Amino acid sequence: MSEKSLNRRDFLLRLSALGALTAGSGSLLAACGGGQQQPGGETGAAETPATATAGCNDLSGLSEADRAQSQQMRQSLQYVDESPVEGKVCSNCALWIEPEPGAACGGCTLIKGPISPNGYCTSWAPRQA
Ligand code: SF4
């Protein structure tokens, strides 16, 4: 046998090993979700920005317990999406949480779920300078 034939046999062995590896990688990728990323980022959560007309009362992203607590807090603190008090809105409240980039609704340290920047509740407090 010449050195050339050994090299060819070696090459074919490596080629078959490579084929086995690439065939296996397909199933590995499938097990990992195919390496595809869902639109909207890595969280996979439906984080579509709320529009101004939709308001910030969609609590469907909360667990059942959190939703019940949020509804109770919204009622007891008389939360509304549009503040009836001039100069007092959620976005200038000390308890306000800024919205995620691209989102219309922010949050509140007291009330779970989306909160309107123009909203208001009876726990409004001025921000400290
Ligand atoms: S405490 Fe009330 S006014 Fe302040 S951010 Fe929360 S919901 Fe808005």
Side-chain angles (χ1 to χ4, degrees), residues 77 79 89-91 93-97 107-111 115-116 119-125:
L77 299 178
Y79 169 79
V89 290
C90 289
S91 62
C93 173
L95 306 173
W96 170 248
I97 300 170
C108 171
T109 57
L110 279 183
I111 303 175
I115 298 290
S116 169
Y120 174 81
C121 85
T122 55
S123 287
W124 184 92

Coordinates of all heavy atoms in Angstrom, one line a residue, residues 77 79 89-91 93-97 107-111 115-116 119-125, ligand 1:
L77 N -56.8 51.7 45.8 CA -56.0 52.9 45.7 C -56.6 53.8 44.6 O -56.1 54.9 44.3 CB -54.5 52.6 45.3 CG -53.8 51.8 46.4 CD1 -52.3 51.6 45.9 CD2 -53.8 52.6 47.7
Y79 N -56.9 53.5 41.4 CA -56.0 53.8 40.2 C -56.8 54.0 39.0 O -57.8 53.4 38.7 CB -55.1 52.5 40.0 CG -54.4 52.6 38.6 CD1 -53.2 53.4 38.5 CD2 -54.8 51.9 37.5 CE1 -52.6 53.5 37.3 CE2 -54.2 52.0 36.3 CZ -53.1 52.8 36.2 OH -52.4 52.9 35.0
V89 N -49.1 62.7 38.2 CA -49.3 61.5 37.3 C -48.3 60.5 37.7 O -47.3 60.8 38.4 CB -49.1 61.9 35.8 CG1 -50.2 62.7 35.2 CG2 -47.7 62.5 35.6
C90 N -48.5 59.2 37.3 CA -47.6 58.2 37.7 C -46.2 58.4 37.4 O -45.3 58.1 38.1 CB -48.1 56.8 37.1 SG -49.6 56.2 37.8
S91 N -46.0 59.0 36.2 CA -44.6 59.2 35.7 C -43.8 60.2 36.5 O -42.6 60.2 36.4 CB -44.6 59.6 34.2 OG -45.2 60.8 34.0
C93 N -44.4 60.2 39.9 CA -44.6 59.7 41.3 C -43.3 59.0 41.7 O -42.5 58.4 40.9 CB -45.7 58.7 41.3 SG -46.0 57.8 42.8
A94 N -43.0 59.1 43.0 CA -41.8 58.4 43.6 C -41.9 56.9 43.4 O -40.8 56.3 43.5 CB -41.7 58.8 45.1
L95 N -43.0 56.3 43.2 CA -43.2 54.9 43.2 C -43.2 54.4 41.8 O -43.4 53.2 41.5 CB -44.4 54.4 43.9 CG -44.5 54.9 45.4 CD1 -45.8 54.6 46.0 CD2 -43.3 54.4 46.2
W96 N -43.0 55.2 40.8 CA -43.1 54.9 39.4 C -41.9 54.1 38.9 O -40.7 54.3 39.4 CB -43.1 56.2 38.6 CG -43.0 56.1 37.1 CD1 -41.9 56.6 36.3 CD2 -43.9 55.5 36.1 NE1 -42.2 56.3 35.0 CE2 -43.3 55.7 34.9 CE3 -45.1 54.9 36.3 CZ2 -44.0 55.2 33.7 CZ3 -45.8 54.4 35.1 CH2 -45.2 54.6 33.9
I97 N -42.1 53.1 38.1 CA -41.0 52.3 37.5 C -41.1 52.6 36.0 O -42.1 52.4 35.3 CB -41.2 50.8 37.7 CG1 -41.2 50.5 39.2 CG2 -40.2 50.0 37.0 CD1 -41.6 49.1 39.6
G107 N -44.4 50.7 35.4 CA -44.9 49.9 36.5 C -44.9 50.8 37.8 O -44.6 52.0 37.7
C108 N -45.2 50.1 38.9 CA -45.3 50.8 40.2 C -44.8 49.8 41.2 O -45.0 48.6 41.1 CB -46.8 51.1 40.4 SG -47.2 51.7 42.0
T109 N -44.2 50.4 42.2 CA -43.7 49.5 43.3 C -44.8 49.0 44.2 O -44.6 48.1 44.9 CB -42.6 50.2 44.1 OG1 -43.1 51.4 44.6 CG2 -41.4 50.6 43.3
L110 N -45.9 49.6 44.1 CA -47.1 49.2 45.0 C -48.0 48.3 44.2 O -48.5 47.3 44.8 CB -47.9 50.5 45.4 CG -47.4 51.3 46.5 CD1 -48.5 52.4 46.8 CD2 -47.2 50.5 47.8
I111 N -48.3 48.6 42.9 CA -49.3 47.8 42.2 C -48.6 47.0 41.1 O -47.9 47.5 40.3 CB -50.3 48.8 41.6 CG1 -50.9 49.7 42.6 CG2 -51.3 48.1 40.7 CD1 -51.9 50.7 42.1
I115 N -48.7 49.9 34.3 CA -49.2 51.2 34.8 C -49.0 52.3 33.8 O -47.9 52.4 33.2 CB -48.5 51.6 36.2 CG1 -48.7 50.5 37.2 CG2 -48.9 53.0 36.6 CD1 -50.1 50.4 37.8
S116 N -50.0 53.1 33.6 CA -49.9 54.2 32.6 C -49.1 55.3 33.2 O -49.2 55.7 34.3 CB -51.4 54.7 32.3 OG -51.3 55.9 31.6
G119 N -51.3 57.9 34.5 CA -52.2 57.4 35.5 C -52.0 58.1 36.9 O -51.2 59.0 37.0
Y120 N -52.8 57.6 37.8 CA -52.8 58.2 39.1 C -53.5 57.3 40.1 O -54.4 56.5 39.8 CB -53.6 59.6 39.1 CG -53.8 60.2 40.5 CD1 -52.7 60.9 41.0 CD2 -55.0 60.1 41.2 CE1 -52.9 61.5 42.3 CE2 -55.1 60.7 42.4 CZ -54.1 61.4 43.0 OH -54.2 62.0 44.2
C121 N -53.1 57.4 41.4 CA -53.8 56.7 42.4 C -53.6 57.5 43.7 O -52.9 58.4 43.8 CB -53.3 55.2 42.6 SG -51.9 55.0 43.7
T122 N -54.4 57.1 44.7 CA -54.4 57.9 46.0 C -53.0 57.8 46.7 O -52.8 58.5 47.7 CB -55.5 57.5 46.9 OG1 -55.4 56.0 47.1 CG2 -56.9 57.8 46.3
S123 N -52.1 56.9 46.3 CA -50.8 56.8 47.0 C -49.8 57.6 46.3 O -48.6 57.5 46.6 CB -50.4 55.4 47.1 OG -51.2 54.7 48.0
W124 N -50.2 58.5 45.4 CA -49.2 59.3 44.6 C -48.3 60.0 45.6 O -48.8 60.6 46.6 CB -49.9 60.3 43.7 CG -48.9 61.1 42.9 CD1 -48.4 60.8 41.7 CD2 -48.3 62.4 43.3 NE1 -47.6 61.8 41.3 CE2 -47.4 62.7 42.2 CE3 -48.3 63.2 44.4 CZ2 -46.7 63.9 42.3 CZ3 -47.6 64.3 44.5 CH2 -46.7 64.7 43.4
A125 N -47.0 60.0 45.4 CA -46.1 60.8 46.3 C -45.1 61.5 45.4 O -44.6 60.9 44.4 CB -45.4 59.8 47.2
Ligands
SF4_1 S1 -48.3 54.8 43.6 FE1 -50.1 55.3 42.4 S2 -49.6 57.3 41.4 FE2 -47.6 56.4 42.1 S3 -46.9 55.2 40.3 FE3 -48.1 53.8 41.6 S4 -50.1 53.9 40.7 FE4 -49.0 55.7 39.9

